[in-house]
């Protein structure tokens, strides 16, 4: 791995307008030394993947509270594969039923953080997981 800082796109896909959690995670990652690109609200999977590629991101962190997590995560992963960027790690969180977490992981989501996850759990996971990602 190069010595450059980790780069993570934090995104709010879909119609969900609640971004407090995404902003808290973005700030925690930034404070932990990660370069964070926050896309803002109401992003399409296409916009999120385009941002990740343009920013040469190591990962995308999706925050989904709307209940559309299966569709939105799946589309982001599909678009990364289509654009030869499948090495970008996808993780996320939000209001996600426990039964859906294995489904998300089965489609390629690296980790899912649910309400009650601490920012130190998230930043620690990002540091540990992405530190082992080859260039």
């Amino acid at each position: 791995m190069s010595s450059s800082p980790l780069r993570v796109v934090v995104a709010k896909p879909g119609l969900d307008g609640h971004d407090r959690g995404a902003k808290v995670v973005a700030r925690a990652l930034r404070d932990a030394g990660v370069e964070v690109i926050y896309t803002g609200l109401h992003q399409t999977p296409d916009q999120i993947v385009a941002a990740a590629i343009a920013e040469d991101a190591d990962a995308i962190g999706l925050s989904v509270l709307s209940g559309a997590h299966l569709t939105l995560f799946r589309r982001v992963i599909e678009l990364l594969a289509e654009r030869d960027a499948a090495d970008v790690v996808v993780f996320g969180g939000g209001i996600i039923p426990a039964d859906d977490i294995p489904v998300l992981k089965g489609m390629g989501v690296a980790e899912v953080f649910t309400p009650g996850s601490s920012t130190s759990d998230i930043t620690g996971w990002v540091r540990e997981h992405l530190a082992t990602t080859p260039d």
Side-chain angles (χ1 to χ4, degrees):
M1 174 135 186
S2 69
S3 62
S4 60
L6 297 172
R7 294 175 63 84
V8 175
V9 169
V10 174
K12 287 292 300 181
L15 300 177
D16 177 16
H18 301 280
D19 65 348
R20 176 175 280 176
K23 287 180 176 178
V24 167
V25 169
R27 179 168 292 191
L29 289 169
R30 182 204 65 197
D31 291 349
V34 176
E35 287 187 15
V36 177
I37 299 93
Y38 176 61
T39 64
L41 292 169
H42 310 301
Q43 298 296 296
T44 66
D46 191 63
Q47 290 170 315
I48 293 164
V49 169
I53 292 169
E55 295 290 346
D56 195 25
D58 298 295
I60 297 172
L62 298 175
S63 171
V64 182
L65 305 174
S66 66
H69 49 276
L70 294 174
T71 301
L72 293 167
F73 276 87
R74 180 177 290 112
R75 188 63 184 140
V76 166
I77 289 169
E78 288 171 351
L79 287 168
L80 287 169
E82 288 172 16
R83 296 179 186 166
D84 295 322
D87 60 329
V88 176
V89 175
V90 177
F91 69 97
I95 307 299
I96 297 173
D99 289 347
D100 288 347
I101 293 173
V103 176
L104 289 167
K105 288 187 174 184
M107 70 176 68
V109 177
E111 189 59 83
V112 177
F113 297 95
T114 55
S117 297
S118 71
T119 55
S120 62
D121 288 342
I122 297 167
T123 58
W125 181 88
V126 166
R127 281 248 172 250
E128 181 179 333
H129 190 80
L130 296 180
T132 61
T133 302
D135 283 344

mmCIF file of all heavy atoms in Angstrom, residues 67-114:
data_model
loop_
_atom_site.group_PDB
_atom_site.id
_atom_site.type_symbol
_atom_site.label_atom_id
_atom_site.label_comp_id
_atom_site.label_asym_id
_atom_site.label_seq_id
_atom_site.Cartn_x
_atom_site.Cartn_y
_atom_site.Cartn_z
ATOM 1 N N GLY A 67 -34.823 2.145 3.289
ATOM 2 C CA GLY A 67 -35.342 0.809 3.040
ATOM 3 C C GLY A 67 -34.985 0.276 1.661
ATOM 4 O O GLY A 67 -35.288 -0.867 1.337
ATOM 5 N N ALA A 68 -34.308 1.085 0.848
ATOM 6 C CA ALA A 68 -33.934 0.671 -0.504
ATOM 7 C C ALA A 68 -32.495 0.167 -0.561
ATOM 8 O O ALA A 68 -31.870 0.158 -1.616
ATOM 9 C CB ALA A 68 -34.128 1.834 -1.470
ATOM 10 N N HIS A 69 -31.972 -0.271 0.571
ATOM 11 C CA HIS A 69 -30.563 -0.644 0.665
ATOM 12 C C HIS A 69 -30.166 -1.772 -0.287
ATOM 13 O O HIS A 69 -29.094 -1.716 -0.891
ATOM 14 C CB HIS A 69 -30.181 -0.994 2.110
ATOM 15 C CG HIS A 69 -31.118 -1.930 2.753
ATOM 16 N ND1 HIS A 69 -32.288 -1.490 3.361
ATOM 17 C CD2 HIS A 69 -31.105 -3.281 2.874
ATOM 18 C CE1 HIS A 69 -32.929 -2.543 3.827
ATOM 19 N NE2 HIS A 69 -32.232 -3.631 3.555
ATOM 20 N N LEU A 70 -30.997 -2.794 -0.441
ATOM 21 C CA LEU A 70 -30.632 -3.908 -1.322
ATOM 22 C C LEU A 70 -30.452 -3.433 -2.762
ATOM 23 O O LEU A 70 -29.466 -3.761 -3.418
ATOM 24 C CB LEU A 70 -31.663 -5.035 -1.248
ATOM 25 C CG LEU A 70 -31.761 -5.757 0.101
ATOM 26 C CD1 LEU A 70 -32.912 -6.751 0.094
ATOM 27 C CD2 LEU A 70 -30.453 -6.440 0.458
ATOM 28 N N THR A 71 -31.372 -2.638 -3.231
ATOM 29 C CA THR A 71 -31.314 -2.125 -4.601
ATOM 30 C C THR A 71 -30.142 -1.164 -4.783
ATOM 31 O O THR A 71 -29.389 -1.266 -5.757
ATOM 32 C CB THR A 71 -32.633 -1.403 -4.953
ATOM 33 O OG1 THR A 71 -33.700 -2.333 -4.815
ATOM 34 C CG2 THR A 71 -32.602 -0.839 -6.350
ATOM 35 N N LEU A 72 -29.959 -0.238 -3.849
ATOM 36 C CA LEU A 72 -28.927 0.787 -4.002
ATOM 37 C C LEU A 72 -27.518 0.218 -3.878
ATOM 38 O O LEU A 72 -26.641 0.526 -4.696
ATOM 39 C CB LEU A 72 -29.156 1.904 -2.994
ATOM 40 C CG LEU A 72 -30.434 2.718 -3.229
ATOM 41 C CD1 LEU A 72 -30.755 3.594 -2.027
ATOM 42 C CD2 LEU A 72 -30.318 3.557 -4.499
ATOM 43 N N PHE A 73 -27.282 -0.629 -2.881
ATOM 44 C CA PHE A 73 -25.962 -1.242 -2.748
ATOM 45 C C PHE A 73 -25.647 -2.100 -3.974
ATOM 46 O O PHE A 73 -24.542 -2.061 -4.503
ATOM 47 C CB PHE A 73 -25.893 -2.110 -1.487
ATOM 48 C CG PHE A 73 -25.572 -1.360 -0.229
ATOM 49 C CD1 PHE A 73 -26.581 -0.776 0.525
ATOM 50 C CD2 PHE A 73 -24.275 -1.261 0.229
ATOM 51 C CE1 PHE A 73 -26.293 -0.113 1.706
ATOM 52 C CE2 PHE A 73 -23.967 -0.598 1.403
ATOM 53 C CZ PHE A 73 -24.980 -0.017 2.146
ATOM 54 N N ARG A 74 -26.638 -2.901 -4.407
ATOM 55 C CA ARG A 74 -26.428 -3.780 -5.562
ATOM 56 C C ARG A 74 -26.023 -2.972 -6.789
ATOM 57 O O ARG A 74 -25.079 -3.322 -7.498
ATOM 58 C CB ARG A 74 -27.680 -4.596 -5.868
ATOM 59 C CG ARG A 74 -27.500 -5.530 -7.079
ATOM 60 C CD ARG A 74 -28.717 -6.397 -7.346
ATOM 61 N NE ARG A 74 -28.849 -7.402 -6.300
ATOM 62 C CZ ARG A 74 -29.841 -7.436 -5.389
ATOM 63 N NH1 ARG A 74 -30.782 -6.526 -5.406
ATOM 64 N NH2 ARG A 74 -29.870 -8.377 -4.484
ATOM 65 N N ARG A 75 -26.714 -1.866 -7.030
ATOM 66 C CA ARG A 75 -26.425 -1.074 -8.226
ATOM 67 C C ARG A 75 -25.038 -0.441 -8.157
ATOM 68 O O ARG A 75 -24.318 -0.389 -9.166
ATOM 69 C CB ARG A 75 -27.506 -0.003 -8.436
ATOM 70 C CG ARG A 75 -27.355 0.711 -9.743
ATOM 71 C CD ARG A 75 -27.532 -0.245 -10.931
ATOM 72 N NE ARG A 75 -27.290 0.453 -12.178
ATOM 73 C CZ ARG A 75 -26.633 -0.067 -13.208
ATOM 74 N NH1 ARG A 75 -26.188 -1.301 -13.162
ATOM 75 N NH2 ARG A 75 -26.432 0.637 -14.289
ATOM 76 N N VAL A 76 -24.628 0.035 -6.993
ATOM 77 C CA VAL A 76 -23.287 0.609 -6.847
ATOM 78 C C VAL A 76 -22.233 -0.459 -7.154
ATOM 79 O O VAL A 76 -21.281 -0.216 -7.899
ATOM 80 C CB VAL A 76 -23.086 1.216 -5.438
ATOM 81 C CG1 VAL A 76 -21.614 1.508 -5.157
ATOM 82 C CG2 VAL A 76 -23.921 2.490 -5.286
ATOM 83 N N ILE A 77 -22.416 -1.645 -6.628
ATOM 84 C CA ILE A 77 -21.458 -2.731 -6.861
ATOM 85 C C ILE A 77 -21.435 -3.119 -8.340
ATOM 86 O O ILE A 77 -20.365 -3.338 -8.918
ATOM 87 C CB ILE A 77 -21.766 -3.921 -5.935
ATOM 88 C CG1 ILE A 77 -21.398 -3.524 -4.494
ATOM 89 C CG2 ILE A 77 -21.026 -5.178 -6.377
ATOM 90 C CD1 ILE A 77 -21.878 -4.468 -3.431
ATOM 91 N N GLU A 78 -22.607 -3.193 -8.965
ATOM 92 C CA GLU A 78 -22.665 -3.499 -10.403
ATOM 93 C C GLU A 78 -21.929 -2.450 -11.224
ATOM 94 O O GLU A 78 -21.159 -2.783 -12.129
ATOM 95 C CB GLU A 78 -24.120 -3.567 -10.872
ATOM 96 C CG GLU A 78 -24.878 -4.770 -10.395
ATOM 97 C CD GLU A 78 -26.375 -4.682 -10.696
ATOM 98 O OE1 GLU A 78 -26.871 -3.617 -11.136
ATOM 99 O OE2 GLU A 78 -27.057 -5.697 -10.457
ATOM 100 N N LEU A 79 -22.159 -1.184 -10.915
ATOM 101 C CA LEU A 79 -21.519 -0.102 -11.677
ATOM 102 C C LEU A 79 -20.003 -0.097 -11.481
ATOM 103 O O LEU A 79 -19.257 0.158 -12.429
ATOM 104 C CB LEU A 79 -22.107 1.252 -11.280
ATOM 105 C CG LEU A 79 -23.518 1.521 -11.778
ATOM 106 C CD1 LEU A 79 -24.107 2.748 -11.085
ATOM 107 C CD2 LEU A 79 -23.532 1.703 -13.291
ATOM 108 N N LEU A 80 -19.549 -0.375 -10.282
ATOM 109 C CA LEU A 80 -18.101 -0.468 -10.063
ATOM 110 C C LEU A 80 -17.506 -1.561 -10.938
ATOM 111 O O LEU A 80 -16.458 -1.363 -11.571
ATOM 112 C CB LEU A 80 -17.804 -0.726 -8.584
ATOM 113 C CG LEU A 80 -18.004 0.453 -7.637
ATOM 114 C CD1 LEU A 80 -17.937 -0.014 -6.187
ATOM 115 C CD2 LEU A 80 -16.983 1.565 -7.909
ATOM 116 N N ALA A 81 -18.169 -2.708 -11.005
ATOM 117 C CA ALA A 81 -17.677 -3.811 -11.836
ATOM 118 C C ALA A 81 -17.683 -3.431 -13.311
ATOM 119 O O ALA A 81 -16.712 -3.689 -14.034
ATOM 120 C CB ALA A 81 -18.516 -5.061 -11.599
ATOM 121 N N GLU A 82 -18.757 -2.791 -13.754
ATOM 122 C CA GLU A 82 -18.867 -2.392 -15.160
ATOM 123 C C GLU A 82 -17.784 -1.399 -15.557
ATOM 124 O O GLU A 82 -17.380 -1.342 -16.723
ATOM 125 C CB GLU A 82 -20.237 -1.746 -15.428
ATOM 126 C CG GLU A 82 -21.390 -2.720 -15.416
ATOM 127 C CD GLU A 82 -22.744 -2.023 -15.481
ATOM 128 O OE1 GLU A 82 -22.802 -0.822 -15.826
ATOM 129 O OE2 GLU A 82 -23.753 -2.687 -15.168
ATOM 130 N N ARG A 83 -17.323 -0.608 -14.610
ATOM 131 C CA ARG A 83 -16.343 0.450 -14.903
ATOM 132 C C ARG A 83 -14.926 0.074 -14.465
ATOM 133 O O ARG A 83 -14.092 0.937 -14.252
ATOM 134 C CB ARG A 83 -16.800 1.744 -14.253
ATOM 135 C CG ARG A 83 -18.120 2.191 -14.876
ATOM 136 C CD ARG A 83 -18.666 3.429 -14.313
ATOM 137 N NE ARG A 83 -19.975 3.670 -14.895
ATOM 138 C CZ ARG A 83 -20.835 4.538 -14.425
ATOM 139 N NH1 ARG A 83 -20.534 5.267 -13.376
ATOM 140 N NH2 ARG A 83 -22.007 4.705 -14.997
ATOM 141 N N ASP A 84 -14.681 -1.231 -14.346
ATOM 142 C CA ASP A 84 -13.358 -1.738 -13.962
ATOM 143 C C ASP A 84 -12.851 -1.111 -12.669
ATOM 144 O O ASP A 84 -11.669 -0.803 -12.538
ATOM 145 C CB ASP A 84 -12.336 -1.528 -15.091
ATOM 146 C CG ASP A 84 -12.686 -2.334 -16.329
ATOM 147 O OD1 ASP A 84 -13.159 -3.483 -16.167
ATOM 148 O OD2 ASP A 84 -12.506 -1.820 -17.442
ATOM 149 N N ALA A 85 -13.741 -0.931 -11.721
ATOM 150 C CA ALA A 85 -13.371 -0.351 -10.428
ATOM 151 C C ALA A 85 -13.856 -1.236 -9.278
ATOM 152 O O ALA A 85 -14.142 -0.751 -8.187
ATOM 153 C CB ALA A 85 -13.956 1.059 -10.314
ATOM 154 N N ALA A 86 -13.924 -2.538 -9.520
ATOM 155 C CA ALA A 86 -14.426 -3.463 -8.506
ATOM 156 C C ALA A 86 -13.500 -3.551 -7.299
ATOM 157 O O ALA A 86 -13.881 -4.108 -6.269
ATOM 158 C CB ALA A 86 -14.643 -4.850 -9.113
ATOM 159 N N ASP A 87 -12.297 -2.974 -7.401
ATOM 160 C CA ASP A 87 -11.379 -2.965 -6.264
ATOM 161 C C ASP A 87 -11.746 -1.909 -5.226
ATOM 162 O O ASP A 87 -11.194 -1.897 -4.127
ATOM 163 C CB ASP A 87 -9.938 -2.756 -6.729
ATOM 164 C CG ASP A 87 -9.736 -1.446 -7.462
ATOM 165 O OD1 ASP A 87 -10.682 -0.971 -8.132
ATOM 166 O OD2 ASP A 87 -8.623 -0.890 -7.387
ATOM 167 N N VAL A 88 -12.704 -1.037 -5.545
ATOM 168 C CA VAL A 88 -13.183 -0.048 -4.575
ATOM 169 C C VAL A 88 -14.062 -0.795 -3.571
ATOM 170 O O VAL A 88 -15.042 -1.435 -3.940
ATOM 171 C CB VAL A 88 -13.980 1.084 -5.262
ATOM 172 C CG1 VAL A 88 -14.559 2.042 -4.225
ATOM 173 C CG2 VAL A 88 -13.087 1.836 -6.245
ATOM 174 N N VAL A 89 -13.691 -0.720 -2.318
ATOM 175 C CA VAL A 89 -14.408 -1.418 -1.251
ATOM 176 C C VAL A 89 -15.707 -0.680 -0.949
ATOM 177 O O VAL A 89 -15.715 0.549 -0.826
ATOM 178 C CB VAL A 89 -13.534 -1.483 0.022
ATOM 179 C CG1 VAL A 89 -14.293 -2.104 1.188
ATOM 180 C CG2 VAL A 89 -12.256 -2.262 -0.260
ATOM 181 N N VAL A 90 -16.799 -1.420 -0.834
ATOM 182 C CA VAL A 90 -18.096 -0.826 -0.496
ATOM 183 C C VAL A 90 -18.491 -1.289 0.902
ATOM 184 O O VAL A 90 -18.506 -2.480 1.193
ATOM 185 C CB VAL A 90 -19.185 -1.222 -1.517
ATOM 186 C CG1 VAL A 90 -20.541 -0.652 -1.102
ATOM 187 C CG2 VAL A 90 -18.806 -0.747 -2.917
ATOM 188 N N PHE A 91 -18.789 -0.314 1.757
ATOM 189 C CA PHE A 91 -19.321 -0.604 3.088
ATOM 190 C C PHE A 91 -20.448 0.380 3.337
ATOM 191 O O PHE A 91 -20.680 1.287 2.547
ATOM 192 C CB PHE A 91 -18.225 -0.515 4.166
ATOM 193 C CG PHE A 91 -17.702 0.867 4.426
ATOM 194 C CD1 PHE A 91 -18.196 1.628 5.474
ATOM 195 C CD2 PHE A 91 -16.705 1.414 3.623
ATOM 196 C CE1 PHE A 91 -17.711 2.903 5.722
ATOM 197 C CE2 PHE A 91 -16.206 2.681 3.862
ATOM 198 C CZ PHE A 91 -16.714 3.427 4.917
ATOM 199 N N GLY A 92 -21.170 0.183 4.416
ATOM 200 C CA GLY A 92 -22.260 1.115 4.646
ATOM 201 C C GLY A 92 -22.959 0.872 5.944
ATOM 202 O O GLY A 92 -22.538 0.063 6.776
ATOM 203 N N GLY A 93 -24.035 1.598 6.081
ATOM 204 C CA GLY A 93 -24.812 1.484 7.292
ATOM 205 C C GLY A 93 -26.140 2.187 7.139
ATOM 206 O O GLY A 93 -26.470 2.715 6.088
ATOM 207 N N GLY A 94 -26.874 2.169 8.232
ATOM 208 C CA GLY A 94 -28.188 2.782 8.244
ATOM 209 C C GLY A 94 -29.189 1.854 8.889
ATOM 210 O O GLY A 94 -28.835 0.960 9.660
ATOM 211 N N ILE A 95 -30.427 2.057 8.538
ATOM 212 C CA ILE A 95 -31.504 1.230 9.064
ATOM 213 C C ILE A 95 -31.617 0.013 8.153
ATOM 214 O O ILE A 95 -32.296 0.036 7.129
ATOM 215 C CB ILE A 95 -32.842 2.009 9.111
ATOM 216 C CG1 ILE A 95 -32.675 3.326 9.848
ATOM 217 C CG2 ILE A 95 -33.933 1.140 9.727
ATOM 218 C CD1 ILE A 95 -32.249 3.191 11.302
ATOM 219 N N ILE A 96 -30.910 -1.044 8.533
ATOM 220 C CA ILE A 96 -30.830 -2.241 7.704
ATOM 221 C C ILE A 96 -31.195 -3.437 8.577
ATOM 222 O O ILE A 96 -30.538 -3.699 9.585
ATOM 223 C CB ILE A 96 -29.419 -2.393 7.107
ATOM 224 C CG1 ILE A 96 -29.140 -1.181 6.187
ATOM 225 C CG2 ILE A 96 -29.284 -3.717 6.361
ATOM 226 C CD1 ILE A 96 -27.752 -1.085 5.663
ATOM 227 N N PRO A 97 -32.266 -4.150 8.214
ATOM 228 C CA PRO A 97 -32.669 -5.315 9.008
ATOM 229 C C PRO A 97 -31.555 -6.356 9.080
ATOM 230 O O PRO A 97 -30.829 -6.589 8.102
ATOM 231 C CB PRO A 97 -33.873 -5.869 8.246
ATOM 232 C CG PRO A 97 -34.382 -4.728 7.426
ATOM 233 C CD PRO A 97 -33.169 -3.910 7.082
ATOM 234 N N ALA A 98 -31.439 -7.013 10.215
ATOM 235 C CA ALA A 98 -30.398 -8.022 10.421
ATOM 236 C C ALA A 98 -30.451 -9.108 9.343
ATOM 237 O O ALA A 98 -29.396 -9.597 8.906
ATOM 238 C CB ALA A 98 -30.536 -8.639 11.810
ATOM 239 N N ASP A 99 -31.634 -9.479 8.892
ATOM 240 C CA ASP A 99 -31.763 -10.523 7.870
ATOM 241 C C ASP A 99 -31.183 -10.099 6.526
ATOM 242 O O ASP A 99 -30.855 -10.956 5.700
ATOM 243 C CB ASP A 99 -33.228 -10.908 7.674
ATOM 244 C CG ASP A 99 -33.796 -11.695 8.849
ATOM 245 O OD1 ASP A 99 -33.002 -12.159 9.703
ATOM 246 O OD2 ASP A 99 -35.032 -11.835 8.918
ATOM 247 N N ASP A 100 -31.079 -8.794 6.290
ATOM 248 C CA ASP A 100 -30.551 -8.307 5.008
ATOM 249 C C ASP A 100 -29.028 -8.191 5.006
ATOM 250 O O ASP A 100 -28.417 -8.090 3.940
ATOM 251 C CB ASP A 100 -31.170 -6.955 4.645
ATOM 252 C CG ASP A 100 -32.625 -7.075 4.230
ATOM 253 O OD1 ASP A 100 -33.088 -8.206 3.981
ATOM 254 O OD2 ASP A 100 -33.297 -6.025 4.152
ATOM 255 N N ILE A 101 -28.405 -8.212 6.163
ATOM 256 C CA ILE A 101 -26.948 -8.038 6.221
ATOM 257 C C ILE A 101 -26.220 -9.171 5.494
ATOM 258 O O ILE A 101 -25.340 -8.897 4.664
ATOM 259 C CB ILE A 101 -26.467 -7.845 7.667
ATOM 260 C CG1 ILE A 101 -27.000 -6.494 8.191
ATOM 261 C CG2 ILE A 101 -24.939 -7.902 7.754
ATOM 262 C CD1 ILE A 101 -26.757 -6.239 9.668
ATOM 263 N N PRO A 102 -26.583 -10.449 5.704
ATOM 264 C CA PRO A 102 -25.905 -11.505 4.936
ATOM 265 C C PRO A 102 -26.154 -11.386 3.426
ATOM 266 O O PRO A 102 -25.279 -11.730 2.628
ATOM 267 C CB PRO A 102 -26.495 -12.804 5.474
ATOM 268 C CG PRO A 102 -27.144 -12.458 6.769
ATOM 269 C CD PRO A 102 -27.495 -11.010 6.705
ATOM 270 N N VAL A 103 -27.310 -10.891 3.037
ATOM 271 C CA VAL A 103 -27.611 -10.698 1.613
ATOM 272 C C VAL A 103 -26.676 -9.635 1.041
ATOM 273 O O VAL A 103 -26.088 -9.812 -0.034
ATOM 274 C CB VAL A 103 -29.093 -10.302 1.406
ATOM 275 C CG1 VAL A 103 -29.381 -10.010 -0.055
ATOM 276 C CG2 VAL A 103 -30.016 -11.390 1.940
ATOM 277 N N LEU A 104 -26.518 -8.535 1.772
ATOM 278 C CA LEU A 104 -25.623 -7.467 1.322
ATOM 279 C C LEU A 104 -24.180 -7.969 1.228
ATOM 280 O O LEU A 104 -23.492 -7.713 0.244
ATOM 281 C CB LEU A 104 -25.704 -6.264 2.268
ATOM 282 C CG LEU A 104 -27.009 -5.469 2.210
ATOM 283 C CD1 LEU A 104 -27.112 -4.507 3.387
ATOM 284 C CD2 LEU A 104 -27.135 -4.730 0.884
ATOM 285 N N LYS A 105 -23.750 -8.689 2.241
ATOM 286 C CA LYS A 105 -22.377 -9.220 2.212
ATOM 287 C C LYS A 105 -22.205 -10.213 1.072
ATOM 288 O O LYS A 105 -21.149 -10.258 0.438
ATOM 289 C CB LYS A 105 -22.021 -9.821 3.562
ATOM 290 C CG LYS A 105 -21.814 -8.737 4.627
ATOM 291 C CD LYS A 105 -21.306 -9.310 5.921
ATOM 292 C CE LYS A 105 -20.985 -8.190 6.893
ATOM 293 N NZ LYS A 105 -20.388 -8.707 8.142
ATOM 294 N N GLY A 106 -23.243 -10.985 0.778
ATOM 295 C CA GLY A 106 -23.186 -11.934 -0.330
ATOM 296 C C GLY A 106 -23.041 -11.255 -1.679
ATOM 297 O O GLY A 106 -22.472 -11.824 -2.608
ATOM 298 N N MET A 107 -23.542 -10.035 -1.797
ATOM 299 C CA MET A 107 -23.411 -9.309 -3.065
ATOM 300 C C MET A 107 -22.111 -8.520 -3.154
ATOM 301 O O MET A 107 -21.830 -7.905 -4.165
ATOM 302 C CB MET A 107 -24.635 -8.425 -3.330
ATOM 303 C CG MET A 107 -24.776 -7.238 -2.428
ATOM 304 S SD MET A 107 -26.182 -6.125 -2.839
ATOM 305 C CE MET A 107 -27.600 -7.109 -2.473
ATOM 306 N N GLY A 108 -21.331 -8.531 -2.064
ATOM 307 C CA GLY A 108 -20.029 -7.871 -2.122
ATOM 308 C C GLY A 108 -19.832 -6.701 -1.189
ATOM 309 O O GLY A 108 -18.781 -6.059 -1.228
ATOM 310 N N VAL A 109 -20.808 -6.398 -0.359
ATOM 311 C CA VAL A 109 -20.641 -5.314 0.615
ATOM 312 C C VAL A 109 -19.698 -5.831 1.707
ATOM 313 O O VAL A 109 -19.944 -6.884 2.300
ATOM 314 C CB VAL A 109 -21.998 -4.877 1.212
ATOM 315 C CG1 VAL A 109 -21.810 -3.811 2.280
ATOM 316 C CG2 VAL A 109 -22.923 -4.378 0.103
ATOM 317 N N ALA A 110 -18.638 -5.099 1.959
ATOM 318 C CA ALA A 110 -17.596 -5.577 2.870
ATOM 319 C C ALA A 110 -18.027 -5.559 4.335
ATOM 320 O O ALA A 110 -17.677 -6.460 5.091
ATOM 321 C CB ALA A 110 -16.329 -4.746 2.701
ATOM 322 N N GLU A 111 -18.779 -4.544 4.728
ATOM 323 C CA GLU A 111 -19.234 -4.451 6.122
ATOM 324 C C GLU A 111 -20.467 -3.580 6.191
ATOM 325 O O GLU A 111 -20.661 -2.686 5.358
ATOM 326 C CB GLU A 111 -18.130 -3.876 7.008
ATOM 327 C CG GLU A 111 -18.426 -3.945 8.500
ATOM 328 C CD GLU A 111 -18.667 -5.371 8.996
ATOM 329 O OE1 GLU A 111 -17.696 -6.089 9.265
ATOM 330 O OE2 GLU A 111 -19.856 -5.756 9.093
ATOM 331 N N VAL A 112 -21.303 -3.859 7.196
ATOM 332 C CA VAL A 112 -22.531 -3.092 7.415
ATOM 333 C C VAL A 112 -22.567 -2.670 8.879
ATOM 334 O O VAL A 112 -22.436 -3.508 9.774
ATOM 335 C CB VAL A 112 -23.786 -3.932 7.074
ATOM 336 C CG1 VAL A 112 -25.058 -3.150 7.371
ATOM 337 C CG2 VAL A 112 -23.749 -4.388 5.617
ATOM 338 N N PHE A 113 -22.739 -1.381 9.087
ATOM 339 C CA PHE A 113 -22.822 -0.822 10.433
ATOM 340 C C PHE A 113 -24.257 -0.362 10.680
ATOM 341 O O PHE A 113 -24.810 0.390 9.892
ATOM 342 C CB PHE A 113 -21.862 0.359 10.583
ATOM 343 C CG PHE A 113 -20.424 -0.043 10.407
ATOM 344 C CD1 PHE A 113 -19.801 0.083 9.171
ATOM 345 C CD2 PHE A 113 -19.706 -0.572 11.464
ATOM 346 C CE1 PHE A 113 -18.482 -0.300 8.999
ATOM 347 C CE2 PHE A 113 -18.385 -0.963 11.302
ATOM 348 C CZ PHE A 113 -17.766 -0.828 10.068
ATOM 349 N N THR A 114 -24.829 -0.845 11.751
ATOM 350 C CA THR A 114 -26.218 -0.506 12.069
ATOM 351 C C THR A 114 -26.258 0.505 13.211
ATOM 352 O O THR A 114 -25.222 0.795 13.823
ATOM 353 C CB THR A 114 -26.990 -1.785 12.435
ATOM 354 O OG1 THR A 114 -26.303 -2.448 13.490
ATOM 355 C CG2 THR A 114 -27.111 -2.718 11.232
#
